[in-house]
Amino acid sequence: MGESEEFFRQLFENNRSVMLLIEPETGQIVAANLAASDFYGYSLEQLTQMSINDINMLPPEAVARERERAVLEKSLFFRFRHRLASGVIRDVEAYVSPIRVREKPFLLSIIHDVTQRMDAERALSAAHTEIRSHSALLQQVLDTVSVGILLVDRSGVISLVNKRMAELFGSSVGMMIGMEYVMLVHPKERDIARRGMRDLFQSTVSQVDVERLYQRIDQTEFWGNLTGRRLLD
């Protein structure tokens, strides 16, 4: 056995990271450390009588394919969902390395619980989906209005515009979003428009109501009445 095997045994057993030693062909757990016992809620004896298939939520054939990828070193990082003894499902990241112990091939799997991070990512994704849904509904409502409406952020960039406003400028909703608002204003009035927008954002004035000369995408001009109000700080 020698000093190297004793060093590996000490490193494996006393490591605070969850570690499993897995037989690559069958998926049998041949060794586990105390951190694994604490995490999964099984005794060390129980764990070494189990297969990784008893823990992994993937179908056995899918787990077998992932083990094969690890053996061939095509992938050494995996994301799985593991079932604890309590029945609770945890999201984990597994760092898997093929190793040899006494000339026999095994897979050393180091497991990290990432459930909280994944829950946060799922919640953020759901929130983004809801925001997109609300934005789509708002766009539909605005597109039914017969006057042009646009929303400008603090940097002066258009973040929302309705269909009627796009028609006034001979443009499209998609083209106008992301444009600087003052670029819609006739060049000779742009400085005035910038100052008015600055005053509005800085609360120097609460509302702007002015007739202004605008320029369409095709360079034709038209006069329009602008009513602007600061909505949020």
Side-chain angles (χ1 to χ4, degrees):
M1 183 170 80
E3 292 183 1
S4 60
E5 283 195 25
E6 177 61 20
F7 175 77
F8 173 77
R9 186 184 68 80
Q10 291 286 343
L11 183 65
F12 180 84
E13 292 180 355
N14 298 325
N15 205 296
R16 293 184 179 180
S17 296
V18 175
M19 290 185 171
L20 301 173
L21 197 61
I22 299 169
E23 203 285 317
E25 288 291 331
T26 64
Q28 180 69 33
I29 300 172
V30 297
N33 65 357
L34 288 174
S37 177
D38 291 340
F39 176 65
Y40 289 108
Y42 294 105
S43 68
L44 292 177
E45 183 179 0
Q46 287 174 311
L47 281 171
T48 53
Q49 292 174 355
M50 298 170 65
S51 165
I52 193 63
N53 297 331
D54 298 322
I55 293 173
N56 200 309
M57 296 296 293
L58 287 176
E61 58 272 18
V63 181
R65 285 195 298 269
E66 299 295 56
R67 288 200 306 274
E68 183 178 358
R69 291 178 63 207
V71 169
L72 298 175
E73 298 190 38
K74 291 184 177 179
S75 179
L76 302 178
F77 170 78
F78 304 89
R79 281 184 175 173
F80 295 124
R81 305 198 78 200
H82 282 186
R83 182 191 294 109
L84 310 186
S86 63
V88 171
I89 308 300
R90 307 294 286 181
D91 292 292
V92 302
E93 290 179 347
Y95 295 84
V96 183
S97 301
I99 65 170
R100 300 188 73 84
V101 178
R102 297 182 182 178
E103 299 307 314
K104 293 183 179 180
F106 293 98
L107 294 174
L108 176 63
S109 185
I110 303 174
I111 308 293
H112 296 285
D113 183 4
V114 295
T115 304
Q116 289 186 346
R117 191 183 80 204
M118 295 301 293
D119 284 346
E121 289 180 3
R122 284 189 285 266
L124 184 60
S125 177
H128 284 167
T129 299
E130 186 174 359
I131 290 171
R132 285 194 296 270
S133 176
H134 288 169
S135 295
L137 179 60
L138 177 59
Q139 186 70 56
Q140 290 178 28
V141 171
L142 291 179
D143 284 345
T144 65
V145 179
S146 60
V147 296
I149 297 175
L150 57 78
L151 188 66
V152 178
D153 64 21
R154 278 190 169 275
S155 61
V157 173
I158 299 171
S159 58
L160 187 147
V161 60
N162 72 343
K163 187 176 179 180
R164 177 55 182 155
M165 182 65 84
E167 290 172 348
L168 287 172
F169 285 91
S171 185
S172 67
V173 170
M175 286 182 62
M176 291 187 68
I177 290 177
M179 288 181 62
E180 188 180 5
Y181 161 72
V182 294
M183 298 309 294
L184 302 176
V185 179
H186 193 278
K188 67 182 182 181
E189 293 205 5
R190 284 177 186 166
D191 287 342
I192 297 172
R194 283 195 177 93
R195 287 197 296 271
M197 189 163 50
R198 181 196 60 202
D199 291 343
L200 192 60
F201 281 132
Q202 293 179 351
S203 301
T204 305
V205 295
S206 61
Q207 183 172 314
V208 172
D209 195 348
V210 63
E211 190 174 28
R212 180 161 288 157
L213 183 61
Y214 290 96
Q215 190 175 64
R216 297 185 181 92
I217 298 300
D218 63 5
Q219 305 299 303
T220 57
E221 304 170 4
F222 71 98
W223 286 93
N225 183 264
L226 169 71
T227 298
R229 180 176 298 171
R230 183 168 54 84
L231 298 179
L232 298 172
D233 290 327

